């Protein structure tokens, strides 16, 4: 009996060892298979950064760059769980061999250069929970087979060149929480089947070519947090149920479509909403006052629509926003809104950063309470009908980066309040009735790059302090009553691309420092009183495309250097007092009479060109050269002859005087002798 038990024990041990050996053998084979799969992937992609250099046969594949394996489950230990190869510059087709990694759950190939089609066989990766292929160069349509990957939770194909329609089979992805197909070329409608993805939290379809109405089934997904359908061709009205079943929605981006109608009242039920962007559509009616129910609202963009309102309605809307204490961005620009905002602006949140109300029909004085917004970054009020002066309280807006009051009827002086606006980059006050001098404090805005003060009634000289803001790219002071010279400090503007000070009363010589504005593209000094020669230094402006110096008092010759500017396309030097030869190179080859008329002393060496430009023909260069040589020879000879003649005349005069003196003496002696004889 003991021997039987011993034999039985030995058999059991032998069986277990055999089974254990088999298990290890299977695991080894599986490990080798996964390693070979990854090596096959490596062979089929281009790796310009050599990021996969440690993918070799002599190292365990679970230690390779971007590879992560299971390590705590005896059934999957050593099998690839995650493949993260993002941002490596890899190039090639999407290798379907990766689906041989049967335990692969996360595949991240984003931000590479993979191209070609996404094959339907990718659906063989049955255990994939996350597939990230964004920012590549994939083309073709999205395979409908993906709709049967039941484990999929995250899908991102955005920023590729995908075409075709969104497969309705995606409605089968019941586990999906995140889908991003943005920035492709997808067309067709948003599938109604999306409404079956009841775990969906984020849906990004922006920047495509989608059409049709937004399915109301989408707004039955209570788990939704983020929706972006912006920049498509969607049409129709918003679903009436839009705010009834999405209590967790924080972001709704529907901008730049063809949506129309009034905003459904149910939208006000989404109290969790923080970002609402409906701008650039065709919404109509007055802006409802119930936005005040969205107390968490941070950004509200309703601009570029067909909303309308009277003074009472706009006041009601603005007053309702006092409940939105977190509001930072308010855009209601480019609508048909009217009314007086003078007493409602102060009701907005002190957190306000962007206040954009341009291109409406608002009236009255500058809205009261602008100093209530210490965090204001952008103030845009252009193209309205505001009147009166601009308050000095603007000085409290120390974080302001952009201010535009363009196209109103503001008057009085521009307040000298820019000392503390160190972050100001854009100052647009043109097309108003401002008078007085340009504030010197503008020059203390060291980040300033855009200055537009044209078409006002500004007078006095251009303050040289402005040119201390050396980052200015665009400067337009045209159509004012400015006088005095153009300060030499203009040469400090090394980044200036456009300078327009035309239609003023500026005078004096043009400074050669203009040649230091080395990236200048457009220079307009027309209709002033500038005098003296055109600076040759303008010929150093290699980027110059347009030059207008017309209707001034400029004299002397046109600098030959202007003909060497290869990018110069338009030149207007008319109505000055220029003289001499017209250059024949560069832009001057194709000039017309319009560009040079009113300069009666100009001439052309070419007879046909002279006729076309309405000027006289110059004496040829050869004749001029011979005349110069002849003058060089004749002048010294003539001078020598003149000197000899003058010397001869002087000698003759001296000899003549001596002879006369001798004759007189002889006569005197003779006369004396005769007198003596007479008395003797």
């Amino acid at each position: 009996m003991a021997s039987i038990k011993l034999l039985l024990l030995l058999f059991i041990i032998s069986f277990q060892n055999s089974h254990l050996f088999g298990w290890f053998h299977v695991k080894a084979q599986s490990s080798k298979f996964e390693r070979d799969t990854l090596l096959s992937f490596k062979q089929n992609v281009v790796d310009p950064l050599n990021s996969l250099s440690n993918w070799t046969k002599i190292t365990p594949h679970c230690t390779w760059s971007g590879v992560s394996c299971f390590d705590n489950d005896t059934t999957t230990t050593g099998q690839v769980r995650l493949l993260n190869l993002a941002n490596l510059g890899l190039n090639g087709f999407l290798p379907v061999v990766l689906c041989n990694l049967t335990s692969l759950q996360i595949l991240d190939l984003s931000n590479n250069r993979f191209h070609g089609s996404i094959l339907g066989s990718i659906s063989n990766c049955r255990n994939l929970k996350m597939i990230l292929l964004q920012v590549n160069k994939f083309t073709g349509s999205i395979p409908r087979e993906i709709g049967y990957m039941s484990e999929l939770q995250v899908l991102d194909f955005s920023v590729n060149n995908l075409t075709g329609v969104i497969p309705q089979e995606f409605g089968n992805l019941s586990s999906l929480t995140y889908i991003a197909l943005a920035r492709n070329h997808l067309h067709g409608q948003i599938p109604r089947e999306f409404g079956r993805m009841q775990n969906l939290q984020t849906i990004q379809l922006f920047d495509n070519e989608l059409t049709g109405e937004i399915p109301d089934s989408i707004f039955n997904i209570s788990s939704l947090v983020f929706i972006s359908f912006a920049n498509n061709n969607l049409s129709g009205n918003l679903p009436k149920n839009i705010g009834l079943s999405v209590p967790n929605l924080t972001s709704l981006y529907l901008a730049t479509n063809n949506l129309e109608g009034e905003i459904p009242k149910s939208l006000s039920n989404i109290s969790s909403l923080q970002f609402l962007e409906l701008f650039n559509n065709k919404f109509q009616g007055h802006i409802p006052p119930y936005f005040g129910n969205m107390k968490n609202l941070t950004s509200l963009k309703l601009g570029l629509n067909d909303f309308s309102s009277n003074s009472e309605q706009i006041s009601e809307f603005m007053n309702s926003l006092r409940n939105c204490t977190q509001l930072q961005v308010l855009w209601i620009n480019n609508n048909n809104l009217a009314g007086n905002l003078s007493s409602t602006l102060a009701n907005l949140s002190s957190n306000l950063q962007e206040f954009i109300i341009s291109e409406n029909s608002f009236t009255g004085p500058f809205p009261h309470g602008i100093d209530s917004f210490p965090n204001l970054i952008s103030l845009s009020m252009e193209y309205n009908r505001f009147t009166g002066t601009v308050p000095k309280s603007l000085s409290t807006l120390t974080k302001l980066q952009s201010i535009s009051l363009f196209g109103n009827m503001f008057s009085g002086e521009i307040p000298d309040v820019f000392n503390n606006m160190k972050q100001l980059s854009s100052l647009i006050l043109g097309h108003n009735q401002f008078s007085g001098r340009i504030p010197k404090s503008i020059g203390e805005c060291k980040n300033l790059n855009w200055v537009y003060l044209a078409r006002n009634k500004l007078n006095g000289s251009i303050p040289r302090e402005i040119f201390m803001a050396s980052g200015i790219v665009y400067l337009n002071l045209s159509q004012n009553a400015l006088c005095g010279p153009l300060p030499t400090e203009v040469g400090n503007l090394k980044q200036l691309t456009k300078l327009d000070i035309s239609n003023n009363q500026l005078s004096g010589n043009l400074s050669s420092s203009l040649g230091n504005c080395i990236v200048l593209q457009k220079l307009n000094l027309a209709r002033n009183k500038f005098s003296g020669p055109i600076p040759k230094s303008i010929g150093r402006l290699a980027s110059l495309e347009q030059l207008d110096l017309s209707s001034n008092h400029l004299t002397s010759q046109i600098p030959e250097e202007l003909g060497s500017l290869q990018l110069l396309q338009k030149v207007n030097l008319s109505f000055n007092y220029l003289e001499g030869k017209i250059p024949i190179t560069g832009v001057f080859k194709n000039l017309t009479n319009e560009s040079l008329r009113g300069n009666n002393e100009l001439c052309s060496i070419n007879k046909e060109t002279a006729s076309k430009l309405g000027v006289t023909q110059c004496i040829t260069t050869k004749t001029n050269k011979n005349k110069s040589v002849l003058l060089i020879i004749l002048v010294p000879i003539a001078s020598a002859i003149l000197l000899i003649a003058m010397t001869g005349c002087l000698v003759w005069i001296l000899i003549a005087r001596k002879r006369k003196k001798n004759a007189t003496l002889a006569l005197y002696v003779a006369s004396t002798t005769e007198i003596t004889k007479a008395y003797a």
Side-chain angles (χ1 to χ4, degrees):
M1 179 65 75
S3 60
I4 293 175
K5 290 182 178 180
L6 179 61
L7 288 172
L8 182 60
L9 180 61
L10 290 173
F11 173 78
I12 293 172
I13 293 173
S14 175
F15 176 81
Q16 288 179 336
N17 286 340
S18 173
H19 180 73
L20 187 62
F21 174 79
W23 183 82
F24 278 117
H25 178 72
V26 170
K27 293 297 293 182
Q29 287 295 103
S30 175
S31 179
K32 180 178 183 300
F33 181 72
E34 298 218 340
R35 182 188 64 195
D36 291 344
T37 296
L38 291 173
L39 289 175
S40 176
F41 166 82
K42 178 183 177 181
Q43 289 177 353
N44 286 281
V45 299
V46 178
D47 180 16
L49 304 178
N50 205 25
S51 302
L52 309 181
S53 59
N54 68 340
W55 286 32
T56 65
K57 291 183 178 181
I58 61 174
T59 55
H61 68 279
C62 292
T63 64
W64 294 351
S65 300
V67 178
S68 179
C69 298
F70 289 98
D71 58 4
N72 59 353
D73 188 331
T74 56
T75 61
T76 57
T77 299
Q79 295 185 3
V80 178
R81 180 184 66 86
L82 179 152
L83 191 58
N84 182 2
L85 303 179
N87 307 301
L88 300 180
L90 301 177
N91 192 339
F93 295 101
L94 179 62
V96 295
V97 69
L98 290 177
C99 287
N100 292 334
L101 305 173
T102 56
S103 297
L104 186 64
Q105 295 182 350
I106 300 174
L107 175 62
D108 188 352
L109 302 180
S110 62
N111 200 17
N112 282 290
R113 298 178 182 176
F114 287 106
H115 53 273
S117 299
I118 300 174
L119 300 178
S121 56
I122 195 173
S123 62
N124 293 329
C125 301
R126 295 292 184 184
N127 291 311
L128 266 183
K129 298 180 183 298
M130 184 181 299
I131 179 168
L132 305 176
L133 303 182
Q134 70 269 25
V135 195
N136 278 286
K137 298 182 179 180
F138 290 114
T139 56
S141 59
I142 300 173
R144 61 187 182 85
E145 290 86 349
I146 292 177
Y148 301 105
M149 300 175 69
S150 59
E151 298 294 322
L152 204 58
Q153 298 176 13
V154 176
L155 172 67
D156 195 339
F157 291 172
S158 56
V159 196
N160 279 285
N161 295 308
L162 299 172
T163 56
V165 300
I166 301 173
Q168 62 184 17
E169 286 81 1
F170 276 18
N172 299 325
L173 301 175
S174 58
S175 298
L176 201 67
T177 62
Y178 181 102
I179 182 170
L181 306 176
R183 293 185 179 172
N184 282 286
H185 304 286
L186 302 173
H187 61 266
Q189 297 187 355
I190 301 172
R192 295 188 61 83
E193 289 77 7
F194 269 32
R196 301 207 306 261
M197 296 187 285
Q198 288 298 309
N199 289 305
L200 199 60
Q201 297 178 16
T202 296
I203 177 170
Q204 298 190 30
L205 305 181
F206 63 90
D207 285 352
N208 278 289
E209 299 163 17
L210 301 172
T211 57
E213 296 185 356
I214 300 174
D216 53 9
S217 61
I218 286 179
F219 294 99
N220 290 325
I221 305 174
S222 60
S223 56
L224 274 173
V225 175
F226 186 102
I227 298 176
S228 180
F229 298 154
N231 296 349
N232 281 286
N233 295 311
L234 300 172
S235 58
N237 296 345
L238 291 180
K240 291 184 178 180
N241 68 330
I242 189 170
L244 299 180
S245 303
V246 282
N248 300 308
L249 193 65
T250 63
S251 304
L252 180 59
Y253 297 95
L254 303 178
T256 313
N257 281 287
N258 294 310
L259 300 170
E260 58 187 1
E262 296 186 357
I263 298 177
K265 188 174 182 180
S266 66
L267 189 64
S268 64
N269 293 338
I270 314 177
S271 58
S272 58
L273 204 60
Q274 298 176 19
F275 301 92
L276 177 59
E277 295 193 359
L278 306 179
F279 69 89
N280 199 16
N281 279 287
K282 299 177 181 179
F283 290 115
Q284 302 162 343
H286 68 276
I287 301 179
Y290 50 67
F291 284 106
N293 296 341
M294 304 175 186
K295 297 182 180 180
N296 293 304
L297 205 59
T298 300
S299 176
L300 177 60
K301 297 183 179 180
L302 305 176
L304 290 159
N305 279 289
D306 294 324
F307 291 119
S308 59
S309 74
N310 54 35
S311 187
E312 181 181 351
Q313 291 167 337
I314 195 64
S315 294
E316 189 177 9
F317 161 69
M318 293 288 285
N319 288 331
S320 73
L321 294 180
R322 73 176 66 191
N323 296 324
C324 305
T325 57
Q326 304 302 315
L327 191 64
Q328 298 178 10
V329 176
L330 177 60
W331 290 12
I332 53 175
N333 56 295
N334 295 79
N335 281 290
N336 301 308
L337 308 177
N340 190 315
L341 300 179
S342 59
S343 61
T344 59
L345 180 62
N347 293 327
L348 298 179
S349 166
S350 60
N351 294 308
L352 195 66
Q353 296 180 8
E354 297 181 24
F355 185 53
I356 313 298
I357 60 172
S358 55
E359 299 198 42
N360 282 290
S361 298
F362 292 123
T363 57
F366 195 100
H368 174 70
I370 192 67
D371 53 349
S372 302
F373 312 114
N375 297 307
L376 197 65
I377 293 174
S378 180
L379 175 61
S380 179
M381 301 169 58
E382 69 263 22
Y383 286 120
N384 279 286
R385 300 175 186 175
F386 290 111
T387 56
T389 60
V390 174
K392 293 184 178 180
S393 56
L394 281 178
S395 62
T396 62
L397 307 180
T398 58
K399 296 182 180 180
L400 201 62
Q401 297 178 14
S402 172
I403 177 171
S404 178
L405 308 181
F406 182 94
N408 282 283
M409 293 179 282
F410 288 117
S411 58
E413 294 188 352
I414 299 173
D416 199 355
V417 294
F418 301 97
N419 307 62
N420 298 321
M421 296 185 184
K422 305 302 182 184
Q423 301 180 43
L424 191 67
S425 62
S426 178
L427 178 62
I428 303 177
L429 307 180
H431 293 238
N432 279 285
Q433 299 176 21
F434 288 117
S435 58
R437 294 177 175 269
I438 298 174
K440 294 181 179 180
S441 61
I442 291 176
E444 298 189 35
C445 303
K446 301 305 180 184
N447 289 310
L448 201 59
N449 55 51
W450 195 277
V451 180
Y452 189 94
L453 306 181
R455 294 190 66 174
N456 280 290
K457 300 177 181 179
L458 300 172
N459 53 46
S461 59
I462 301 175
R464 63 184 67 251
E465 287 81 1
I466 282 186
F467 303 107
M468 297 299 104
S470 58
I472 292 178
V473 173
Y474 179 97
L475 178 60
N476 193 332
L477 308 178
S478 64
Q479 300 186 62
N480 281 288
L482 301 172
C483 59
L486 174 62
T488 58
E489 287 80 3
V490 66
N492 293 337
L493 305 184
K494 300 293 193 300
Q495 301 178 48
L496 189 66
T497 61
K498 181 175 181 179
L499 174 62
D500 189 348
I501 53 175
S502 61
N503 289 282
N504 281 287
Q505 300 174 25
L506 299 166
S507 59
N509 288 358
L510 295 179
S511 173
S512 61
S513 66
L514 278 168
N516 296 331
C517 304
I518 54 177
V519 296
L520 196 62
Q521 298 174 4
K522 298 179 181 180
L523 177 59
N524 190 348
L525 311 181
R527 292 172 289 282
N528 279 288
K529 299 178 181 180
F530 290 117
S531 57
I534 299 173
K536 293 182 179 181
S537 61
I538 293 179
R540 299 201 303 263
L541 303 178
S543 299
L544 197 63
E545 299 173 1
Q546 298 180 18
L547 174 64
D548 193 344
L549 304 179
S550 62
S551 299
N552 279 286
H553 301 154
L554 300 173
T555 57
S556 193
Q557 293 186 335
I558 300 173
E560 293 282 350
E561 289 82 356
L562 297 185
S564 65
L565 297 176
Q566 298 181 2
L567 299 181
L568 190 59
Q569 300 173 1
K570 295 182 180 179
V571 169
N572 191 349
L573 306 177
S574 61
F575 298 106
N576 280 286
Y577 299 98
L578 300 172
E579 60 186 31
K581 182 181 65 173
I582 300 170
I584 59 174
T585 58
V587 69
F588 294 97
K589 291 180 181 179
N590 302 307
L591 277 190
T592 64
N593 174 258
E594 297 295 319
S595 300
L596 295 174
R597 63 178 179 170
N599 293 284
N600 298 327
E601 299 301 320
L602 287 175
C603 63
S604 174
I605 61 173
N606 182 279
K607 184 177 181 181
E608 293 182 2
T609 303
S611 176
K612 182 180 74 170
L613 298 178
V615 298
T616 59
Q617 184 180 6
C618 303
I619 299 174
T620 63
T621 304
K622 184 175 180 180
T623 302
N624 287 339
K625 183 176 180 181
N626 291 339
K627 284 182 67 178
S628 299
V629 173
L630 188 61
L631 286 173
I632 292 172
I633 296 172
L634 290 180
V635 168
I637 292 175
S639 299
I641 293 173
L642 181 61
L643 181 61
I644 292 171
M646 291 177 64
T647 303
C649 289
L650 182 61
V651 171
W652 183 83
I653 292 172
L654 291 174
I655 293 173
R657 284 182 177 178
K658 187 174 182 180
R659 286 178 179 175
K660 184 177 181 180
K661 183 178 180 180
N662 290 340
T664 303
L665 181 61
L667 181 62
Y668 174 76
V669 171
S671 299
T672 304
T673 303
E674 291 293 327
I675 293 171
T676 303
K677 287 181 179 180
Y679 280 100

